[in-house]
mmCIF file of all heavy atoms in Angstrom:
data_model
loop_
_atom_site.group_PDB
_atom_site.id
_atom_site.type_symbol
_atom_site.label_atom_id
_atom_site.label_comp_id
_atom_site.label_asym_id
_atom_site.label_seq_id
_atom_site.Cartn_x
_atom_site.Cartn_y
_atom_site.Cartn_z
ATOM 1 N N ARG A 3 66.944 115.883 104.409
ATOM 2 C CA ARG A 3 68.176 115.063 104.439
ATOM 3 C C ARG A 3 69.367 115.921 104.333
ATOM 4 O O ARG A 3 69.341 117.007 103.845
ATOM 5 C CB ARG A 3 68.144 113.940 103.443
ATOM 6 C CG ARG A 3 68.242 114.481 101.993
ATOM 7 C CD ARG A 3 68.503 113.229 101.047
ATOM 8 N NE ARG A 3 68.378 113.760 99.656
ATOM 9 C CZ ARG A 3 69.438 114.167 98.895
ATOM 10 N NH1 ARG A 3 70.553 114.136 99.452
ATOM 11 N NH2 ARG A 3 69.203 114.510 97.691
ATOM 12 N N GLY A 5 73.287 116.923 102.958
ATOM 13 C CA GLY A 5 73.947 116.838 101.725
ATOM 14 C C GLY A 5 74.803 115.470 101.604
ATOM 15 O O GLY A 5 75.217 114.982 102.641
ATOM 16 N N VAL A 10 87.635 111.803 98.821
ATOM 17 C CA VAL A 10 88.858 111.626 98.054
ATOM 18 C C VAL A 10 89.814 110.701 98.859
ATOM 19 O O VAL A 10 90.118 111.013 100.049
ATOM 20 C CB VAL A 10 89.636 112.940 97.901
ATOM 21 C CG1 VAL A 10 90.968 112.747 97.130
ATOM 22 C CG2 VAL A 10 88.718 113.894 96.978
ATOM 23 N N THR A 12 93.298 108.945 99.347
ATOM 24 C CA THR A 12 94.639 109.006 98.802
ATOM 25 C C THR A 12 95.535 107.830 99.418
ATOM 26 O O THR A 12 95.256 107.389 100.499
ATOM 27 C CB THR A 12 95.364 110.235 99.278
ATOM 28 O OG1 THR A 12 95.433 110.382 100.676
ATOM 29 C CG2 THR A 12 94.596 111.521 98.636
ATOM 30 N N PHE A 13 96.377 107.263 98.605
ATOM 31 C CA PHE A 13 97.160 106.120 98.907
ATOM 32 C C PHE A 13 98.637 106.529 98.685
ATOM 33 O O PHE A 13 98.962 107.080 97.700
ATOM 34 C CB PHE A 13 96.928 104.874 98.034
ATOM 35 C CG PHE A 13 95.375 104.481 98.127
ATOM 36 C CD1 PHE A 13 94.427 105.053 97.377
ATOM 37 C CD2 PHE A 13 95.075 103.558 99.105
ATOM 38 C CE1 PHE A 13 93.157 104.701 97.443
ATOM 39 C CE2 PHE A 13 93.703 103.183 99.238
ATOM 40 C CZ PHE A 13 92.681 103.765 98.337
ATOM 41 N N PRO A 20 111.447 109.890 94.456
ATOM 42 C CA PRO A 20 112.689 110.361 93.869
ATOM 43 C C PRO A 20 112.457 111.583 93.009
ATOM 44 O O PRO A 20 113.391 112.357 92.684
ATOM 45 C CB PRO A 20 113.164 109.183 93.039
ATOM 46 C CG PRO A 20 111.992 108.411 92.769
ATOM 47 C CD PRO A 20 111.011 108.573 94.026
ATOM 48 N N GLU A 26 105.244 126.409 93.923
ATOM 49 C CA GLU A 26 104.191 127.219 94.427
ATOM 50 C C GLU A 26 102.832 126.866 93.643
ATOM 51 O O GLU A 26 102.870 126.589 92.393
ATOM 52 C CB GLU A 26 104.489 128.691 94.102
ATOM 53 C CG GLU A 26 105.769 129.091 94.741
ATOM 54 C CD GLU A 26 105.658 130.145 95.833
ATOM 55 O OE1 GLU A 26 104.869 131.088 95.595
ATOM 56 O OE2 GLU A 26 106.333 129.974 96.829
ATOM 57 N N GLU A 33 85.249 127.815 93.868
ATOM 58 C CA GLU A 33 84.448 128.996 93.873
ATOM 59 C C GLU A 33 84.869 130.050 95.010
ATOM 60 O O GLU A 33 85.381 129.610 96.076
ATOM 61 C CB GLU A 33 83.007 128.774 93.933
ATOM 62 C CG GLU A 33 82.522 128.095 95.250
ATOM 63 C CD GLU A 33 81.071 127.763 95.208
ATOM 64 O OE1 GLU A 33 80.453 127.899 94.155
ATOM 65 O OE2 GLU A 33 80.502 127.567 96.317
ATOM 66 N N GLY A 39 97.003 137.340 101.068
ATOM 67 C CA GLY A 39 98.393 137.617 101.173
ATOM 68 C C GLY A 39 99.143 136.906 100.114
ATOM 69 O O GLY A 39 98.841 137.038 98.947
ATOM 70 N N ASP A 44 97.766 131.119 100.559
ATOM 71 C CA ASP A 44 96.279 131.248 100.604
ATOM 72 C C ASP A 44 95.612 129.976 99.969
ATOM 73 O O ASP A 44 94.715 129.388 100.432
ATOM 74 C CB ASP A 44 95.778 132.461 99.860
ATOM 75 C CG ASP A 44 95.985 133.700 100.655
ATOM 76 O OD1 ASP A 44 96.170 133.593 101.844
ATOM 77 O OD2 ASP A 44 95.835 134.787 100.053
ATOM 78 N N ASP A 58 82.805 124.368 93.095
ATOM 79 C CA ASP A 58 81.652 124.781 92.288
ATOM 80 C C ASP A 58 81.003 123.374 91.795
ATOM 81 O O ASP A 58 81.503 122.784 90.947
ATOM 82 C CB ASP A 58 82.146 125.626 91.172
ATOM 83 C CG ASP A 58 80.937 126.006 90.308
ATOM 84 O OD1 ASP A 58 79.850 125.579 90.482
ATOM 85 O OD2 ASP A 58 81.169 126.789 89.344
ATOM 86 N N ARG A 69 73.971 109.938 77.133
ATOM 87 C CA ARG A 69 72.932 108.970 77.659
ATOM 88 C C ARG A 69 72.226 108.240 76.579
ATOM 89 O O ARG A 69 71.694 108.954 75.650
ATOM 90 C CB ARG A 69 72.040 109.694 78.630
ATOM 91 C CG ARG A 69 72.736 109.976 79.900
ATOM 92 C CD ARG A 69 71.616 110.616 80.842
ATOM 93 N NE ARG A 69 72.393 111.294 81.861
ATOM 94 C CZ ARG A 69 71.947 112.391 82.470
ATOM 95 N NH1 ARG A 69 70.854 112.883 82.195
ATOM 96 N NH2 ARG A 69 72.712 112.966 83.428
ATOM 97 N N ARG A 75 70.659 103.495 84.457
ATOM 98 C CA ARG A 75 71.423 104.304 85.376
ATOM 99 C C ARG A 75 72.030 105.493 84.560
ATOM 100 O O ARG A 75 72.130 105.374 83.362
ATOM 101 C CB ARG A 75 72.548 103.454 85.938
ATOM 102 C CG ARG A 75 72.166 102.396 86.842
ATOM 103 C CD ARG A 75 73.196 101.450 87.063
ATOM 104 N NE ARG A 75 73.488 100.682 85.803
ATOM 105 C CZ ARG A 75 74.531 99.837 85.596
ATOM 106 N NH1 ARG A 75 75.329 99.587 86.565
ATOM 107 N NH2 ARG A 75 74.583 99.144 84.516
ATOM 108 N N ILE A 77 75.182 108.492 84.369
ATOM 109 C CA ILE A 77 76.476 108.800 84.835
ATOM 110 C C ILE A 77 76.434 110.001 85.727
ATOM 111 O O ILE A 77 75.602 110.865 85.682
ATOM 112 C CB ILE A 77 77.439 109.019 83.713
ATOM 113 C CG1 ILE A 77 78.834 109.077 84.148
ATOM 114 C CG2 ILE A 77 76.970 110.335 82.982
ATOM 115 C CD1 ILE A 77 79.846 109.093 82.926
ATOM 116 N N PRO A 79 78.976 112.742 86.527
ATOM 117 C CA PRO A 79 80.298 113.290 86.279
ATOM 118 C C PRO A 79 80.867 114.046 87.530
ATOM 119 O O PRO A 79 80.151 114.687 88.182
ATOM 120 C CB PRO A 79 80.102 114.224 85.177
ATOM 121 C CG PRO A 79 78.662 114.635 85.128
ATOM 122 C CD PRO A 79 77.960 113.574 85.882
ATOM 123 N N HIS A 86 90.782 118.950 89.409
ATOM 124 C CA HIS A 86 91.844 119.946 89.226
ATOM 125 C C HIS A 86 92.718 120.098 90.395
ATOM 126 O O HIS A 86 93.894 120.006 90.338
ATOM 127 C CB HIS A 86 91.178 121.293 88.842
ATOM 128 C CG HIS A 86 92.049 122.245 88.208
ATOM 129 N ND1 HIS A 86 92.074 122.452 86.817
ATOM 130 C CD2 HIS A 86 93.004 123.028 88.628
ATOM 131 C CE1 HIS A 86 93.008 123.333 86.465
ATOM 132 N NE2 HIS A 86 93.548 123.693 87.526
ATOM 133 N N LEU A 89 94.951 117.077 90.938
ATOM 134 C CA LEU A 89 96.056 117.006 89.965
ATOM 135 C C LEU A 89 97.155 118.100 90.413
ATOM 136 O O LEU A 89 98.316 117.803 90.305
ATOM 137 C CB LEU A 89 95.636 117.315 88.515
ATOM 138 C CG LEU A 89 94.643 116.297 87.933
ATOM 139 C CD1 LEU A 89 94.248 116.677 86.590
ATOM 140 C CD2 LEU A 89 95.448 114.902 87.940
ATOM 141 N N LEU A 91 97.752 118.972 93.430
ATOM 142 C CA LEU A 91 98.382 118.407 94.683
ATOM 143 C C LEU A 91 99.270 117.236 94.442
ATOM 144 O O LEU A 91 100.281 117.029 95.189
ATOM 145 C CB LEU A 91 97.295 118.068 95.656
ATOM 146 C CG LEU A 91 96.613 119.175 96.366
ATOM 147 C CD1 LEU A 91 95.284 118.761 97.017
ATOM 148 C CD2 LEU A 91 97.518 119.829 97.460
ATOM 149 N N GLU A 95 103.497 118.362 85.654
ATOM 150 C CA GLU A 95 103.358 118.486 84.151
ATOM 151 C C GLU A 95 104.036 117.234 83.556
ATOM 152 O O GLU A 95 105.163 116.862 84.038
ATOM 153 C CB GLU A 95 103.973 119.703 83.617
ATOM 154 C CG GLU A 95 103.133 120.905 83.860
ATOM 155 C CD GLU A 95 103.441 122.146 82.973
ATOM 156 O OE1 GLU A 95 104.298 122.019 82.075
ATOM 157 O OE2 GLU A 95 102.907 123.178 83.206
ATOM 158 N N ASP A 97 103.247 114.229 83.798
ATOM 159 C CA ASP A 97 102.854 112.941 84.368
ATOM 160 C C ASP A 97 101.643 112.163 83.607
ATOM 161 O O ASP A 97 100.989 112.929 82.937
ATOM 162 C CB ASP A 97 102.380 113.062 85.814
ATOM 163 C CG ASP A 97 103.567 113.287 86.774
ATOM 164 O OD1 ASP A 97 104.689 113.064 86.369
ATOM 165 O OD2 ASP A 97 103.318 113.573 87.944
ATOM 166 N N VAL A 99 98.150 110.455 83.946
ATOM 167 C CA VAL A 99 97.034 110.380 84.914
ATOM 168 C C VAL A 99 96.124 109.259 84.384
ATOM 169 O O VAL A 99 95.795 109.223 83.192
ATOM 170 C CB VAL A 99 96.128 111.729 84.891
ATOM 171 C CG1 VAL A 99 94.966 111.588 85.727
ATOM 172 C CG2 VAL A 99 97.124 112.933 85.353
ATOM 173 N N ALA A 104 86.615 105.951 83.307
ATOM 174 C CA ALA A 104 86.796 107.325 82.750
ATOM 175 C C ALA A 104 85.433 108.058 82.457
ATOM 176 O O ALA A 104 85.515 109.298 82.309
ATOM 177 C CB ALA A 104 87.575 107.225 81.487
ATOM 178 N N GLU A 124 87.033 102.927 79.668
ATOM 179 C CA GLU A 124 85.555 103.129 79.899
ATOM 180 C C GLU A 124 84.885 101.936 79.174
ATOM 181 O O GLU A 124 85.092 101.643 78.062
ATOM 182 C CB GLU A 124 85.187 104.431 79.375
ATOM 183 C CG GLU A 124 83.703 104.699 79.342
ATOM 184 C CD GLU A 124 82.966 104.441 80.619
ATOM 185 O OE1 GLU A 124 83.424 104.837 81.761
ATOM 186 O OE2 GLU A 124 81.934 103.760 80.606
ATOM 187 N N LEU A 125 83.917 101.456 79.942
ATOM 188 C CA LEU A 125 83.076 100.259 79.432
ATOM 189 C C LEU A 125 82.102 100.653 78.443
ATOM 190 O O LEU A 125 81.893 99.940 77.373
ATOM 191 C CB LEU A 125 82.476 99.705 80.687
ATOM 192 C CG LEU A 125 81.849 98.354 80.691
ATOM 193 C CD1 LEU A 125 82.786 97.237 80.324
ATOM 194 C CD2 LEU A 125 81.112 98.085 82.004
ATOM 195 N N ARG A 138 89.361 115.911 72.784
ATOM 196 C CA ARG A 138 89.787 116.576 71.590
ATOM 197 C C ARG A 138 89.524 118.119 71.636
ATOM 198 O O ARG A 138 90.339 118.946 71.105
ATOM 199 C CB ARG A 138 88.911 116.029 70.353
ATOM 200 C CG ARG A 138 89.833 115.847 69.178
ATOM 201 C CD ARG A 138 89.149 115.131 68.079
ATOM 202 N NE ARG A 138 89.107 113.607 68.364
ATOM 203 C CZ ARG A 138 88.039 112.876 68.405
ATOM 204 N NH1 ARG A 138 86.789 113.348 68.067
ATOM 205 N NH2 ARG A 138 88.038 111.539 68.647
ATOM 206 N N SER A 145 95.697 124.256 71.164
ATOM 207 C CA SER A 145 96.421 124.553 69.952
ATOM 208 C C SER A 145 96.022 126.001 69.416
ATOM 209 O O SER A 145 96.816 126.712 68.947
ATOM 210 C CB SER A 145 96.454 123.524 68.926
ATOM 211 O OG SER A 145 95.076 123.280 68.566
ATOM 212 N N ARG A 146 94.669 126.293 69.630
ATOM 213 C CA ARG A 146 94.285 127.695 69.166
ATOM 214 C C ARG A 146 94.905 128.756 70.046
ATOM 215 O O ARG A 146 95.388 129.724 69.577
ATOM 216 C CB ARG A 146 92.701 127.757 69.390
ATOM 217 C CG ARG A 146 92.138 128.420 68.145
ATOM 218 C CD ARG A 146 90.589 128.293 68.257
ATOM 219 N NE ARG A 146 90.066 127.089 67.868
ATOM 220 C CZ ARG A 146 89.140 126.346 68.485
ATOM 221 N NH1 ARG A 146 88.634 126.866 69.621
ATOM 222 N NH2 ARG A 146 88.671 125.208 68.085
ATOM 223 N N ARG A 148 97.767 128.543 71.523
ATOM 224 C CA ARG A 148 99.227 128.644 71.238
ATOM 225 C C ARG A 148 99.469 129.425 69.999
ATOM 226 O O ARG A 148 100.548 130.027 69.817
ATOM 227 C CB ARG A 148 99.787 127.267 70.973
ATOM 228 C CG ARG A 148 100.272 126.601 72.269
ATOM 229 C CD ARG A 148 101.167 125.381 72.093
ATOM 230 N NE ARG A 148 100.459 124.300 71.392
ATOM 231 C CZ ARG A 148 99.812 123.384 72.083
ATOM 232 N NH1 ARG A 148 99.872 123.432 73.411
ATOM 233 N NH2 ARG A 148 99.192 122.457 71.491
#
Side-chain angles (χ1 to χ4, degrees):
R3 67 172 171 91
V10 176
T12 61
F13 302 86
E26 305 246 316
E33 62 180 16
D44 282 347
D58 179 356
R69 284 184 201 152
R75 289 164 294 170
I77 193 172
H86 200 100
L89 295 179
L91 284 163
E95 285 200 6
D97 281 354
V99 175
E124 172 52 46
L125 191 63
R138 220 169 286 127
S145 57
R146 224 173 282 133
R148 272 196 294 274

